[in-house]
Amino acid sequence: MTSIALIEAAAKRLSGHARRTPLLSSPFLDEIAGRRVFVKAECLQHTGSFKFRGGWNAVSALVEAGPLSGVIAYSSGNHAQGVALAAKMHGIPAVIVMPADAPAIKIANTRALGAEVVTYDRAAEDRDALGARLAAERGLALVKPFDMAEVIAGQGTTGLEIAEQAAEAGVTEAVVLVPCGGGGLTSGIALALQARAPGMVVHPVEPEGFDDVARSQAAGERLRNERLSGSICDAIITPVTGDLTWPLLRDLCGPGLVVTEDEALRAMALAHDRLKIVLEPGGAVALAAALFRPGAGAVIAVASGGNVDRAMMIRALQG
Amino acid sequence: MTSIALIEAAAKRLSGHARRTPLLSSPFLDEIAGRRVFVKAECLQHTGSFKFRGGWNAVSALVEAGPLSGVIAYSSGNHAQGVALAAKMHGIPAVIVMPADAPAIKIANTRALGAEVVTYDRAAEDRDALGARLAAERGLALVKPFDMAEVIAGQGTTGLEIAEQAAEAGVTEAVVLVPCGGGGLTSGIALALQARAPGMVVHPVEPEGFDDVARSQAAGERLRNERLSGSICDAIITPVTGDLTWPLLRDLCGPGLVVTEDEALRAMALAHDRLKIVLEPGGAVALAAALFRPGAGAVIAVASGGNVDRAMMIRALQG
C-alpha cells in the first residue's frame, strides 16, 4: 500500500537522478483565469514526462530487492520511455512490448534510450501472454504503468515538490489539478499533499468522452471508459483505474473536471506563449481546467508531459 | 566596474525573486552533437528571458540608493519586459520608450506588466532626446540594456548558477556558448565563470551577418554591425558592444561563433522536440552552435529567451 513513508523513500531514491521541475507562473495566465495560476512543469522531467519518476523508483526498488536480470513494460508511450531510461541509468536491460503499428518515432525513441523493443500484432497476438512468456524466459520483472505501489510513490514525489515550492511562493491553500489516466500521478500527489499540504485539494482532470474517473467518483463505484481511442489526449486514456489507485482517487480527491480537446489545444498554445514550455494534449488538460473553469483562490495545474509531435503543436498554435 | 563581488551581491538581491532556471539535457541532443550538451533554460525566467535578472538587479540597486520616482528604459523587446516587471515588483513606476511601429503585442505585453509605454515616431523624433526629457521632467532613472555595471552583474548570476548546476552534474570543464548582442549576458557569465569555474571557457554566438563581436575579437578592436534589421534573431541585434562589455568580451572570452538563421530555426525545433522548451531565434543561436559546430568535451548552451510569436515557431517546426 502506498503511503507517505513510501513517497518519502521514493524522494530519497530520486534525489540527484530525477529533475526537480520548476513551478512556473505568468501574470498573463493569472489574468485569464481570474486567480493565481501555478504550473508544475513535469514536461521538463527526464524523457519529457512525470513517468520517469515512477519508473526510476520501481526499478530502484527492484534492484535493491536482489539480483535482477532486467525489467519489462507494456507501453507505446511515456511509460515506455520512463522505464527505458531508468533501466539504462541502473545498467540493467529493459524490454518494452509495443504494438507493431505504434508510431515509428516512439519505437525509435524507446530504442534510443537503450531498451529492446519487442513488437506484437494487435489483431493476432495476446500482449499479456507474450509479455509473461518473455518475463519467464528471461527472468524479467514487470513494471506496471500505474497500479503498483512503488510507481504511485514515485509519481507522488511530484506532490512533495508542489507542497514545498508552493509554500516558498506563500501558498498553502490551493486547488491542485492533475491530468488523470490510470490515476498513478493523481493518487500519488493526493497522498503526498494530504500529509504535507492539508490545505490543498486534488481534482483529477480528464478529456471529454474519456471521463471514467469523474463518472466513477460521482457513482461511487469504478466505471470504465467506453472508448479507448480517438482522443488527441492519448497519453492519459486508460480503460479503467487500478485496484490501488481507485480507492485513493475515491477517498482523497475532489470531484473530477472534464475539458474539451479544443480547450486542451488552447492551453498548449498559452503554455507556449506565456510559460515557454511544450505540452502534449493530455499533459495540458489540467492547465486547461485551471484557465477555463471558474474557481476561487490559487490553482496549481500539473503539466504532466510534453511528448507531442510537431504537427500537433502546429495545430495548437494555429488554433 | 563589474566584478565577481557585484555579481554575488546581485545573486543575493535576485534570491527569491528571479527563478533559478534548470540546466536541461537530452541523450538525443548529445547524440546529434557527439558530446554532452547542457542547456541553461533562461527562456523559463520571468518575462521569458534573462533580461529580468539585470532589470531586477539594476532597479533594486537604484531603490537601495535612495528615493526614486521611477525608472525609464528604451526597448521594444525583452529588456522592456524585464525592467517593467522588476519595477512593478518593487512598486515603482516604469516608463518604456518604444517606437510607435513596434508590434502591438509587444506594446500590450509591456503595458500588461504595469509599465507606461511612451511611443515615438522613428522617422521624426529623437528617442534619446525624448527619453532625456521624460527622465528630467519626472525624475526617472535610466536602466540601460547592457552597458551598466548592475545590469551586467544581474545577467552574470546566470553564470553562478551554471557553475553550481554543472558541478552537480559532475562537469567542471566545458565550453559555454552564449547568445551575444550588446554583450551584457556574455560578459557577466564570463566574469562569473572566471571566478567560479575556471575550467570553463565562454564563447559568444551570433547570427550570420550580425557578427560584430566575432569580428571585433578577431580584429582586436571594437567594430560595428553594418545592418541593424533583417534578422529573425532580432533580440540579439545591437549596433555595437558597450564601453563596459567590450573589454570583458575581448579579455575573457574565446573566439565568437556564427550560425545561420536556418541553424537557429533547427535548434528551436530540436529544443521543442527534446527539451520541451520554447526558444526565440536569437535565444537559440548558442544551442545551434552546440549542436552543429564540431567540438570536444562538454558544451553548455545558454538558451537566453523564448519570446517568439506563434508564426515563427510554426516556421521552425515546419523546417
Side-chain angles (χ1 to χ4, degrees):
Chain A
M1 192 68 185
T2 309
S3 63
I4 184 67
L6 224 50
I7 298 174
E8 284 168 353
K12 285 212 182 81
R13 290 196 185 107
L14 267 66
S15 177
H17 301 286
R19 290 201 185 110
R20 185 182 173 84
T21 56
L23 189 69
L24 302 175
S25 61
S26 159
F28 297 97
L29 298 184
D30 295 354
E31 198 183 330
I32 292 169
R35 51 177 171 165
R36 289 182 77 184
V37 178
F38 297 89
V39 176
K40 178 65 171 166
E42 276 297 291
C43 53
L44 302 175
Q45 189 53 263
H46 292 300
T47 71
S49 90
F50 73 96
K51 290 285 190 179
F52 177 77
R53 294 179 185 262
W56 178 264
N57 191 48
V59 174
S60 301
L62 288 166
V63 167
E64 288 163 21
L68 189 68
S69 308
V71 293
I72 186 167
Y74 312 137
S75 167
S76 59
N78 290 336
H79 178 57
Q81 294 191 44
V83 171
L85 183 61
K88 182 185 181 185
M89 288 166 65
H90 275 289
I92 63 168
V95 174
I96 309 291
V97 181
M98 283 191 182
D101 60 353
I105 182 71
K106 291 198 173 181
I107 295 178
N109 283 350
T110 306
R111 285 202 176 116
L113 292 170
E116 177 188 350
V117 175
V118 175
T119 60
Y120 69 99
D121 179 343
R122 269 203 250 222
E125 287 182 276
D126 178 342
R127 185 196 69 177
D128 292 354
L130 170 66
R133 183 170 56 76
L134 284 170
E137 281 174 8
R138 306 202 202 171
L140 306 173
L142 178 64
V143 181
K144 295 183 187 177
F146 52 86
D147 214 32
M148 199 165 155
E150 297 294 7
V151 170
I152 298 169
Q155 322 305 28
T157 60
T158 315
L160 298 183
E161 295 175 18
I162 288 172
E164 291 171 14
Q165 293 169 319
E168 284 166 18
V171 174
T172 54
E173 303 203 347
V175 164
V176 179
L177 306 180
V178 187
C180 191
L185 180 63
T186 310
S187 60
I189 290 175
L191 266 174
L193 294 181
Q194 181 189 41
R196 295 292 182 82
M200 298 190 185
V201 180
V202 171
H203 297 259
V205 184
E206 296 165 290
E208 200 174 60
F210 301 87
D211 59 344
D212 62 302
V213 175
R215 289 186 295 109
S216 297
Q217 289 176 299
E221 60 172 328
R222 186 154 51 141
L223 303 175
R224 303 180 71 87
N225 277 318
E226 288 169 15
R227 289 185 296 143
L228 287 177
S229 61
S231 172
I232 61 171
C233 301
D234 55 305
I236 59 167
I237 305 302
T238 48
V240 65
T241 56
D243 293 337
L244 299 181
T245 56
W246 162 240
L248 296 168
L249 296 169
R250 181 189 61 203
D251 298 342
L252 300 182
C253 295
L257 300 172
V258 177
V259 300
T260 65
E261 290 195 350
D262 182 59
E263 287 172 326
L265 289 166
R266 285 164 57 204
M268 286 170 64
L270 288 164
H272 167 278
D273 294 348
R274 300 306 186 184
L275 300 175
K276 317 304 175 189
I277 57 174
V278 174
L279 301 184
E280 61 194 72
V285 296
L287 177 58
L291 295 175
F292 308 129
R293 292 291 172 275
V299 58
I300 300 171
V302 177
S304 53
N307 291 316
V308 62
D309 62 29
R310 295 181 186 183
M312 184 64 74
M313 178 56 80
I314 290 170
R315 179 175 159 190
L317 295 176
Q318 284 173 336
Chain B
M1 194 65 188
T2 310
S3 63
I4 184 67
L6 266 195
I7 297 174
E8 283 168 353
K12 283 211 183 82
R13 291 196 185 107
L14 267 66
S15 177
H17 302 285
R19 289 200 186 112
R20 184 181 173 86
T21 56
L23 189 68
L24 302 175
S25 60
S26 160
F28 297 97
L29 298 185
D30 295 353
E31 197 182 330
I32 292 170
R35 52 179 172 164
R36 290 182 78 183
V37 178
F38 297 89
V39 176
K40 178 66 171 166
E42 276 297 292
C43 53
L44 302 175
Q45 189 52 264
H46 292 301
T47 71
S49 89
F50 73 96
K51 290 284 191 179
F52 176 77
R53 294 179 185 262
W56 178 264
N57 191 50
V59 173
S60 301
L62 288 165
V63 168
E64 289 164 19
L68 189 67
S69 308
V71 293
I72 186 168
Y74 313 137
S75 167
S76 59
N78 290 336
H79 179 57
Q81 295 193 43
V83 171
L85 183 62
K88 182 184 182 187
M89 288 166 65
H90 275 289
I92 63 168
V95 174
I96 308 292
V97 181
M98 284 190 182
D101 59 352
I105 182 71
K106 291 198 173 181
I107 295 178
N109 283 350
T110 307
R111 284 202 176 115
L113 292 170
E116 178 189 348
V117 175
V118 175
T119 59
Y120 69 98
D121 179 342
R122 270 203 249 220
E125 287 181 276
D126 178 341
R127 184 195 70 176
D128 291 354
L130 170 66
R133 183 168 57 75
L134 284 169
E137 282 173 9
R138 305 202 200 171
L140 305 173
L142 177 66
V143 181
K144 296 183 187 177
F146 53 85
D147 214 32
M148 199 165 154
E150 296 294 9
V151 170
I152 298 169
Q155 323 305 29
T157 60
T158 315
L160 299 182
E161 294 175 17
I162 288 172
E164 290 170 15
Q165 293 169 319
E168 284 165 17
V171 173
T172 54
E173 303 204 347
V175 164
V176 179
L177 306 181
V178 188
C180 190
L185 180 63
T186 309
S187 60
I189 290 175
L191 265 173
L193 294 181
Q194 181 189 42
R196 294 293 182 83
M200 297 190 186
V201 181
V202 171
H203 297 258
V205 185
E206 296 165 290
E208 200 174 61
F210 301 86
D211 58 344
D212 61 303
V213 176
R215 289 185 295 108
S216 297
Q217 289 176 299
E221 60 172 329
R222 187 154 49 142
L223 303 176
R224 303 180 71 86
N225 276 318
E226 287 168 16
R227 289 184 297 144
L228 288 177
S229 62
S231 172
I232 61 172
C233 301
D234 55 306
I236 58 168
I237 305 301
T238 48
V240 66
T241 55
D243 294 337
L244 299 181
T245 57
W246 162 240
L248 295 169
L249 296 169
R250 181 191 61 204
D251 297 343
L252 299 182
C253 294
L257 300 173
V258 177
V259 301
T260 65
E261 290 194 351
D262 182 60
E263 287 172 326
L265 289 166
R266 285 164 57 204
M268 286 169 64
L270 288 165
H272 166 279
D273 294 348
R274 300 306 186 184
L275 300 175
K276 317 304 175 191
I277 57 174
V278 174
L279 301 185
E280 60 193 73
V285 296
L287 178 57
L291 295 175
F292 307 131
R293 292 289 172 274
V299 57
I300 300 170
V302 177
S304 53
N307 291 316
V308 62
D309 62 28
R310 294 181 186 183
M312 184 64 75
M313 178 56 82
I314 290 171
R315 179 175 160 189
L317 294 177
Q318 284 174 334

